[in-house]
Amino acid sequence: MVCLGNICRSPLADGLLRDKIQLNNLQIEVDSCGTSGHHAGQQPNERMMETALSHGYDLSALRARQFETADFKKFDLIYVMDSSNYNNVIRLATSEADKQKVKLFLNELYPEKNRAVPDPYYGGSQGFEDVYDLVDKATDLIIEKLK
Ligand code: 4NP
């Protein structure tokens, strides 16, 4: 799960998937990171953690890190939150197989629409709820697909 800062959108997707993977007894490793290293080492954004916790998901153990080329080897699927993240990740790919792993996260919910998960960082609390709703729905669909 990849976004820009790895403090809002991708840690939410990461946290929800971790819980849903466990609930479904699946053996899948999930992680998240940002294309920027600006927030590396930080906990998820306070408002994102509060929103997640109000829905029963604890993101407090997660720490931000930057996407690295080794992630192409380590993971089979790389979900990005918007087209800017997509371009930044694709730029680091070294093969066609690497590129094929990179998918726009919201295409799971809205196939082929190439929609972005809006960045809630600079907005109000409704933005965080809206992101939660999108990420909850898309992660449900990802789980169904991987079952
Ligand atoms: P995220 O949100 O990409 O969903 O983690 C952002 C967090 C921080 C910044 C940008 C986006 N920032 O510019 O600091």
Side-chain angles (χ1 to χ4, degrees):
M1 303 295 132
V2 183
C3 62
L4 174 61
N6 192 209
I7 55 169
C8 292
R9 295 164 292 173
S10 64
L12 180 68
D14 184 350
L16 266 60
L17 276 171
R18 279 174 203 245
D19 278 21
K20 292 176 186 189
I21 285 166
Q22 225 180 6
L23 271 174
N24 286 278
N25 288 317
L26 300 172
Q27 297 291 320
I28 297 169
E29 187 181 341
V30 60
D31 198 10
S32 62
C33 57
T35 56
S36 152
H38 191 71
H39 294 277
Q42 293 180 11
Q43 260 192 334
N45 174 274
E46 195 65 44
R47 291 186 292 168
M48 194 77 266
M49 287 201 290
E50 282 169 12
T51 304
L53 203 54
S54 76
H55 292 278
Y57 295 94
D58 181 1
L59 307 182
S60 65
L62 300 176
R63 295 293 179 277
R65 71 171 178 90
Q66 188 169 17
F67 181 84
E68 53 189 10
T69 49
D71 289 315
F72 282 115
K73 290 233 172 347
K74 209 168 159 195
F75 295 97
D76 301 313
L77 286 166
I78 297 170
Y79 280 108
V80 295
M81 298 294 144
D82 63 34
S83 60
S84 163
N85 309 150
Y86 183 88
N87 292 332
N88 287 331
V89 170
I90 287 286
R91 208 173 289 136
L92 296 173
T94 55
S95 68
E96 194 51 40
D98 283 356
K99 290 182 185 172
Q100 292 299 327
K101 292 182 177 184
V102 188
K103 320 258 181 218
L104 272 168
F105 179 78
L106 269 197
N107 278 354
E108 296 297 329
L109 188 56
Y110 305 111
E112 294 171 38
K113 298 282 188 217
N114 296 343
R115 289 192 195 167
V117 178
D119 188 344
Y121 189 65
Y122 297 105
S125 59
Q126 189 57 46
F128 285 85
E129 275 302 324
D130 292 346
V131 165
Y132 174 81
D133 193 49
L134 289 170
V135 169
D136 186 37
K137 289 187 172 121
T139 51
D140 276 349
L141 292 170
I142 289 171
I143 290 288
E144 284 310 311
K145 206 171 180 174
L146 297 177
K147 260 185 186 173

